Amino acid sequence: QKEVEQNSGPLSVPEGAIASLNCTYSDRGSQSFFWYRQYSGKSPELIMFIYSNGDKEDGRFTAQLNKASQYVSLLIRDSQPSDSATYLCAVWEEGKSTFGDGTTLTVKP
Amino acid sequence: EAGVTQSPTHLIKTRGQQATLRCSPISGHTSVYWYQQALGLGLQFLLWYDEGEERNRGNFPPRFSGRQFPNYSSELNVNALELEDSALYLCASSDWTLANYGYTFGSGTRLTVV
């Protein structure tokens, strides 16, 4: 079992819709959880981090964490074509971040 | 404030040669992390340096090595290059005390082994 698993995708949503990205992790000792956005040919960019159970909102982005279920999600409201990218879930543990393989999101105008 | 800088942007090497990649962290950051992102694959953790010491290492062979200098810049060396070493190599930095708040990545070095 991979340490961090994401929906393989690709995920396609129409402009203005809500995009939902999911991630599960295997280590219950994981402390912090991240969502990075990676545009094609570019390096990852941190967009959200969360370490407490519940929701954390930042503009159109909401991260949700459920440690009991070992589940992290990212909701993107009012999706825009510029949100089209690969979204990487990462988990911080033992001095490093472990990344999932990413979910590619396409927002269609 | 300057971000994480990596050099060179692109590097082409022949199988069996050595490659040296460089990274300068954000000013004030003491930790440098190296990741490999092969085409179509996720980010694989290579190495973590903090305060000049190697703190953690991923599941890579010993021919992947590096060091961190007193100014916190870092170098990744890959010896005896193999074709499968072709990948984007990403460096990230953080303040160690804030590492659990996420990384800032450089733009990467694209290594091609022919």
Side-chain angles (χ1 to χ4, degrees), chain B residues 40-107:
Chain B
L41 299 179
L43 275 74
Q44 301 298 316
F45 171 71
L46 272 163
L47 290 159
W48 167 34
Y49 291 96
D50 183 68
E51 296 285 0
E53 299 286 333
E54 181 181 301
R55 302 296 186 182
N56 201 353
R57 182 181 181 86
N59 293 326
F60 281 84
R63 58 190 187 82
F64 286 84
S65 65
R67 53 181 172 166
Q68 186 178 35
F69 299 99
N71 66 353
Y72 303 116
S73 67
S74 177
E75 200 172 83
L76 174 68
N77 294 295
V78 187
N79 293 319
L81 285 164
E82 300 179 1
L83 296 178
E84 52 264 36
D85 296 333
S86 295
L88 179 66
Y89 288 83
L90 291 162
C91 169
S93 77
S94 75
D95 180 323
W96 161 230
T97 59
L98 297 175
N100 57 333
Y101 292 101
Y103 299 152
T104 301
F105 281 94
S107 56

Side-chain angles (χ1 to χ4, degrees), chain A residues 32 36 38 43 49 94-95 97, chain B residues 35 37 48 56 100-101 103 106:
Chain A
S32 299
Y36 289 81
Q38 187 173 25
S43 58
F49 73 89
E94 298 182 354
S97 278
Chain B
Y35 283 81
Q37 189 175 34
W48 167 34
N56 201 353
N100 57 333
Y101 292 101
Y103 299 152

